[in-house]
Amino acid sequence: MEQYTVTGMSCAACSARVEKAVSKVPGVTSCSVSLLTNSMGVEGTASPADVIAAVQEAGYGASQKGAAGAGKGGAAAAASAAEAEEMLKDHETPVLKRRLITSIGFLAVLMYFSMGAMMWGWPVPAFLEHNHVAMGLLQLILTAIVMVINQKFFISGYRSLWHKAPNMDTLVALGSTAAFVYSTYALFAMTDAQMRGDMAGVMAYMHEFYFESAAMILTLITVGKMLEARSKGRTTDALKSLMKLAPKTATVVRDGVEQQVSIDQVLRGDVFVVRPGENIPVDGVVLEGSSAVNEAALTGESIPVDKEPGDKVSAATLNQSGFIRCEATRVGEDTTLSQIIQMVSDAAATKAPIAKVADRVSGVFVPAVITIAVVTTLVWLLAGQSFGFALARGISVLVISCPCALGLATPVAIMVGNGMGAKHGIMFKTAVSLEEAGKVQIVALDKTGTITSGEPKVTDMVPAGGISEQELLSLAYALEAKSEHPLARAILAKAQEESVPAAEVTEFQALPGNGLSAVLHGEKLSGGNFTFISGAAAVPEELKRRAEQLAEEGKTPLFFAKGKQLAGIIAVADVIKEDSPQAVRELQNMGIRVVMLTGDNERTAKAIGAQAGVDQVIAGVLPDGKESVIRSLKELGKVAMVGDGINDAPALTRADIGIAIGAGTDIAIDAADVMLMKSRLSDVPAAIRLSRATLKNIHENLFWAFFYNVIGIPLAAGVWIPLFGLKLNPMFGAAAMSLSSFCVVSNALRLNLFRMYDASKDRRLKKEVQLSAGTAGQPAAAADTGTKSITDKEETTMTKTMKIEGMMCGHCEARVKKTLEALEGVTEAAVSHEQGTAVVTLAQDVADDVLKKAVEDQDYKVIEIQ
């Protein structure tokens, strides 16, 4: 998406006009204009010159963002960031404030003479006491000064009218001009009457002066504009605070010497150092040293994260404790911070679907109001009222009508909602994703890394009689220290955590049949699954039952023996995150059905699903299979897919809303619509809550904007005069117009007070989606959606059963399954490491040699194929 800065827009009619003009340019596929940030996002092949020319032809100005620093690298990104920061500065409020103060000064003098002296007899200089013409001339001059001070309304308003695209400024300019011109006519008519000695005529024309109305309209609209500008400035506070985090300098090591350079001079591959208390300048990887880094700026998480050699660090995070030396991996516009800023900016430049309603209305609003004003004036004249009375009604219609409130109703809420999300590490890519996230009915969760931590951990230690837990762990540590199996890392981590000393073993072997062996102090050590260990030591019935119980819980029991005596069992599992069950309950309380997708076997999936409390579990699904599951779920309701954003990319893309969890170091994943910087599942219900609150706020804003105009325009036109005697002075109409936009923006700012992690106000949707009669833990094969099975397979023609040695856990199962299902002709492979089998379903004949080679290439041994 190419972004542009647009100047000269004052209301929703302006943004609609620009959008319409640019959309007609050949090569433009989509265009969205934000009145809030005065920005425009354009997609397609059209050249920037053609886009800018279209905007200028429509009567506005445009320039391409980042044009001055176009190109890759730190310098371009720094220029772009500086330009973006400058664009978001509140330039309007100071200018409007000066205009307002000056206008009020002259308006106060005008009101003294027009209202105070003429109506209430306040003292005036002697030469004005009985000189009505001089009094009228003074009012004309003071009004003209106020009009010159606020000339922007007239320049913008009449230019837009010339381009056949009238806007809010057109309404103000027409109302003010009408009041001024008629008052000037009345002044000349009064002068003529005075010259003829017609004092009755003089007094009559004096009451036809609307000079103070013309000046008051302009001043009150300026008050509204200033309040609106200040409030609009606050809606971008979150984005501005992100930009302020960007470090300006970095300490790099070049030719062995530390030197401080500007951030735009840091190149990929440079080595830089960060001392305690300094911000990390660019994204990188730690080479030396260790420290605690506060990443609250990016993730919203206040607890510092420990960093050691090999760990990644991100720009704008704070180094709190140690000295670290790092290598730059992403600089300039590629850093995590830059991409977050770009994402929030892009979201502001896009348009939510609900905004199109306001856009359609805004496109015809101003011409309709001008027509109503003319008709109102003519009707009152035909009804026998004076021209002054009829004109006052027409002017009131012009100045009370407010397209601005309509235009601001959606973008201000979207900007505040995006800012709130960004502060808590929740990034919405577009305004569409912010609006649509709150409408999801089904949330599909990837198991590994989303519900679980994604890393196996030791969960249980069951020592045999006469053996302590410390001895069991020490024995397992010695045996597993040389193993490269994923489960071994869990035992190593547990031993290091418990400060268990490492004993050196000899004759280490990874043996076929799911086991390891080694010699320690002349005694043989063995470790592996039940089948393997049974050949090395006797397993008591009690421990056998305990192992089966652990397996039922989704854990992998590992047996260890010393000599011919069983030492005990250590259970390892990918444990669920602490907040996962609570997050699932919150989603369910919001009326959302939660489905877990996993490639694990049925038993493990069933155990994890029960712990997390999900509504439905679909097991044995590989990444490419998840996409077809999501497609089927979409037939039943709006689906959000939550995954790690890499392996789950097809499913994230297929879902109505793709949510990448823990994407802090990979923020640019194209597949997802929402990025969660923290690896906490509780951010999913928080994002949905924020979306719903933002949508509710937009509805409130649109209701106010429409309601205000529906009530205000008839009142201004004098519809209620015959019934209730209600008459609206043009000055009060201008005040109402000013307040309408201010109210809309202020209501949107209330979102800053929204507590997105507060689940106490969650309520279910009136109509919940009925997906399945199944319960938590129900496997894919049994899952019934009520309308269509979500695991439909092609009709099979042949199956083969393979007996395989060497599989020790669920990870091994997944590896074999993935390998077999990658072969042409294989539609499904049901693999079990406990039984040592793989049942392969074939759509066409696949030679045994091909199946055997595929598995043995993964370092497992095929014993037999039936």
Side-chain angles (χ1 to χ4, degrees):
M1 176 190 288
E2 289 291 334
Q3 288 204 29
Y4 299 81
T5 301
V6 182
T7 57
M9 296 191 299
S10 62
C11 72
C14 297
S15 56
R17 169 71 177 169
V18 172
E19 201 167 293
K20 189 175 180 181
V22 174
S23 296
K24 290 179 180 177
V25 175
V28 172
T29 54
S30 72
C31 170
S32 58
V33 179
S34 171
L35 176 64
L36 178 66
T37 55
N38 291 319
S39 61
M40 173 175 67
V42 179
E43 291 183 358
T45 57
S47 69
D50 291 342
V51 171
I52 292 170
V55 175
Q56 291 172 341
E57 195 175 325
Y60 305 91
S63 60
Q64 190 178 10
K65 290 184 185 178
K72 299 294 286 182
S80 180
E83 179 188 328
E85 194 169 349
E86 181 66 19
M87 183 199 76
L88 287 176
K89 278 185 183 175
D90 187 0
H91 298 288
E92 278 188 272
T93 303
V95 174
L96 288 167
K97 191 175 180 180
R98 287 194 298 272
R99 264 173 54 187
L100 180 60
I101 291 170
T102 314
S103 297
I104 288 174
F106 286 102
L107 179 65
V109 179
L110 173 60
M111 294 301 289
Y112 183 90
F113 287 110
S114 64
M115 305 290 285
M118 294 181 71
M119 293 180 66
W120 301 312
W122 290 358
V124 296
F127 70 91
L128 289 176
E129 274 190 21
H130 302 291
N131 192 339
H132 301 300
V133 174
M135 187 72 82
L137 280 171
L138 180 61
Q139 290 182 45
L140 182 146
I141 292 166
L142 289 169
T143 303
I145 292 170
V146 174
M147 292 173 78
V148 170
I149 292 168
N150 294 283
Q151 60 185 284
K152 188 176 178 183
F153 289 123
F154 298 95
I155 295 169
S156 169
Y158 287 120
R159 180 191 292 151
S160 299
L161 194 60
W162 177 258
H163 284 95
K164 298 177 184 177
N167 57 19
M168 189 202 80
D169 288 348
T170 307
L171 298 178
V172 176
L174 286 174
S176 235
T177 302
F180 182 78
V181 169
Y182 180 70
S183 300
T184 303
Y185 159 76
L187 175 60
F188 279 100
M190 184 183 74
T191 304
D192 180 61
Q194 186 166 325
M195 289 175 67
R196 290 186 283 104
D198 181 5
M199 293 311 293
V202 169
M203 297 310 292
Y205 280 117
M206 273 187 64
H207 293 294
E208 295 294 310
F209 284 176
Y210 287 99
F211 286 121
E212 75 282 354
S213 290
M216 182 67 83
I217 286 167
L218 295 170
T219 306
L220 287 173
I221 298 297
T222 304
V223 170
K225 283 280 188 183
M226 192 191 78
L227 292 173
E228 182 187 314
R230 286 188 64 181
S231 299
K232 279 165 64 178
R234 287 176 57 196
T235 64
T236 57
D237 280 351
L239 191 50
K240 285 184 280 194
S241 63
L242 280 174
M243 290 178 171
K244 286 176 184 173
L245 292 172
K248 302 294 186 288
T249 60
T251 304
V252 298
V253 180
R254 289 178 180 162
D255 300 324
V257 179
E258 288 185 15
Q259 50 184 287
Q260 196 169 68
V261 299
S262 173
I263 197 70
D264 58 334
Q265 294 176 7
V266 181
L267 304 174
R268 187 176 178 182
D270 275 353
V271 174
F272 62 90
V273 297
V274 189
R275 291 176 171 79
E278 294 180 349
N279 279 338
I280 292 167
V282 295
D283 289 8
V285 61
V286 179
L287 299 176
E288 295 175 26
S290 60
S291 180
V293 176
N294 188 328
E295 298 182 338
L298 300 185
T299 66
E301 186 63 68
S302 58
I303 300 172
V305 180
D306 291 331
K307 299 290 183 181
E308 295 179 346
D311 290 340
K312 294 178 181 179
V313 291
S314 298
T317 55
L318 178 65
N319 179 26
Q320 289 193 326
S321 56
F323 176 90
I324 52 176
R325 183 186 296 263
C326 311
E327 180 184 342
T329 56
R330 296 197 294 191
V331 300
E333 62 189 14
D334 295 326
T335 65
T336 301
L337 177 68
S338 295
Q339 294 191 24
I340 291 172
I341 292 170
Q342 186 63 42
M343 191 177 300
V344 177
S345 180
D346 281 349
T350 58
K351 191 157 288 185
I354 196 169
K356 292 173 184 175
V357 177
D359 285 350
R360 283 195 293 270
V361 174
S362 299
V364 297
F365 185 83
V366 177
V369 168
I370 294 172
T371 304
I372 293 169
V374 172
V375 170
T376 298
T377 305
L378 293 174
V379 167
W380 282 112
L381 286 172
L382 292 171
Q385 292 291 342
S386 67
F387 185 76
F389 180 92
L391 185 63
R393 304 289 74 73
I395 292 170
S396 294
V397 169
L398 288 173
V399 297
I400 201 172
S401 307
C402 189
C404 253
L406 283 171
L408 290 170
T410 301
V412 288
I414 292 289
M415 178 59 89
V416 176
N418 258 312
M420 276 288 288
K423 279 197 290 188
H424 291 88
I426 299 171
M427 312 307 236
F428 294 92
K429 256 189 181 177
T430 63
V432 176
S433 57
L434 177 56
E435 180 181 333
E436 295 298 312
K439 299 176 183 177
V440 298
Q441 298 160 301
I442 306 159
V443 170
L445 304 174
D446 175 46
K447 189 208 76 162
T448 306
T450 301
I451 293 177
T452 66
S453 63
E455 295 179 5
K457 291 183 180 178
V458 172
T459 58
D460 302 84
M461 287 196 288
V462 187
I467 305 286
S468 68
E469 285 192 2
Q470 186 80 359
E471 287 177 291
L472 173 61
L473 185 58
S474 177
L475 184 154
Y477 185 24
L479 187 58
E480 298 282 7
K482 293 187 177 182
S483 173
E484 296 181 356
H485 197 279
L487 298 184
R489 290 198 291 271
I491 293 175
L492 301 188
K494 179 68 174 176
Q496 289 161 5
E497 182 185 319
E498 300 285 337
S499 302
V500 173
E504 188 67 31
V505 298
T506 57
E507 300 179 33
F508 174 82
Q509 284 183 296
L511 302 170
N514 306 327
L516 305 171
S517 72
V519 175
L520 177 65
H521 305 314
E523 200 163 14
K524 186 178 179 182
L525 304 182
S526 306
N529 64 11
F530 173 74
T531 306
F532 174 79
I533 213 73
S534 296
V539 180
E541 200 62 37
E542 183 184 347
L543 286 183
K544 194 185 297 183
R545 285 196 300 272
R546 180 67 174 129
E548 289 172 357
Q549 181 186 345
L550 291 168
E552 286 290 338
E553 294 171 5
K555 301 169 184 176
T556 302
L558 302 175
F559 294 80
F560 294 92
K562 188 175 183 181
K564 292 190 176 293
Q565 180 188 356
L566 184 72
I569 302 169
I570 295 180
V572 176
D574 183 7
V575 296
I576 71 170
K577 297 175 185 174
E578 288 182 10
D579 69 329
S580 291
Q582 177 64 27
V584 170
R585 282 195 299 273
E586 288 181 13
L587 287 168
Q588 290 166 338
N589 288 338
M590 296 164 80
I592 296 169
R593 188 172 182 86
V594 184
V595 180
M596 186 180 89
L597 310 181
T598 177
D600 285 349
N601 62 66
E602 182 184 327
R603 176 188 280 184
T604 302
K606 187 176 181 179
I608 295 292
Q611 289 176 47
V614 299
D615 297 299
Q616 184 177 349
V617 172
I618 304 174
V621 184
L622 289 178
D624 54 347
K626 289 177 186 175
E627 188 269 344
S628 63
V629 171
I630 295 296
R631 190 187 305 130
S632 298
L633 285 173
K634 284 178 70 175
E635 295 177 11
L636 309 163
K638 195 174 281 287
V639 179
M641 168 69 191
V642 185
D644 60 20
I646 302 168
N647 297 332
D648 302 306
L652 287 167
T653 305
R654 173 65 63 181
D656 296 294
I657 293 290
I659 303 176
I661 191 167
T665 53
D666 201 1
I667 199 72
I669 300 170
D670 290 332
D673 303 293
V674 183
M675 309 291 185
L676 306 181
M677 301 294 288
K678 294 169 279 190
S679 293
R680 291 197 323 212
L681 194 58
S682 56
D683 281 346
V684 175
I688 293 171
R689 257 183 232 113
L690 179 60
S691 170
R692 289 182 178 181
T694 303
L695 195 58
K696 181 184 175 186
N697 192 278
I698 291 171
H699 286 146
E700 291 168 353
N701 288 343
L702 286 173
F703 172 78
W704 165 252
F706 280 113
F707 176 78
Y708 163 81
N709 284 297
V710 167
I711 297 298
I713 291 175
L715 176 62
V719 170
W720 310 119
I721 292 175
L723 296 173
F724 309 109
L726 292 175
K727 186 168 65 173
L728 186 71
N729 187 294
M731 289 187 289
F732 293 115
M737 181 189 199
S738 300
L739 286 172
S740 64
S741 296
F742 176 65
C743 289
V744 163
V745 178
S746 299
N747 185 53
L749 288 173
R750 285 193 311 110
L751 276 173
N752 282 313
L753 305 174
F754 179 68
R755 292 182 294 179
M756 66 178 76
Y757 292 98
D758 181 6
S760 62
K761 295 182 181 178
D762 288 345
R763 64 178 186 274
R764 292 178 178 270
L765 299 176
K766 289 181 180 178
K767 183 181 179 182
E768 291 189 13
V769 182
Q770 297 300 318
L771 273 178
S772 169
T775 57
Q778 188 175 13
D784 176 19
T785 63
T787 55
K788 178 184 176 182
S789 170
I790 56 178
T791 53
D792 285 345
K793 300 285 181 184
E794 292 181 20
E795 192 172 334
T796 58
T797 56
M798 187 188 309
T799 60
K800 290 186 178 183
T801 302
M802 304 175 67
K803 290 189 178 180
I804 304 170
E805 277 189 355
M807 295 189 296
M808 295 180 65
C809 64
H811 293 277
C812 299
E813 278 183 9
R815 192 171 170 188
V816 172
K817 181 180 177 69
K818 185 176 181 180
T819 300
L820 288 170
E821 291 184 344
L823 297 174
E824 188 178 351
V826 176
T827 57
E828 185 181 11
V831 184
S832 170
H833 76 277
E834 291 158 340
Q835 298 174 11
T837 61
V839 180
V840 185
T841 303
L842 306 172
Q844 61 190 54
D845 188 26
V846 179
D848 290 354
D849 291 345
V850 174
L851 296 172
K852 183 177 181 181
K853 184 177 185 305
V855 173
E856 293 191 339
D857 282 349
Q858 300 299 317
D859 299 325
Y860 301 101
K861 187 175 181 181
V862 177
I863 305 299
E864 183 184 4
I865 300 179
Q866 297 176 344

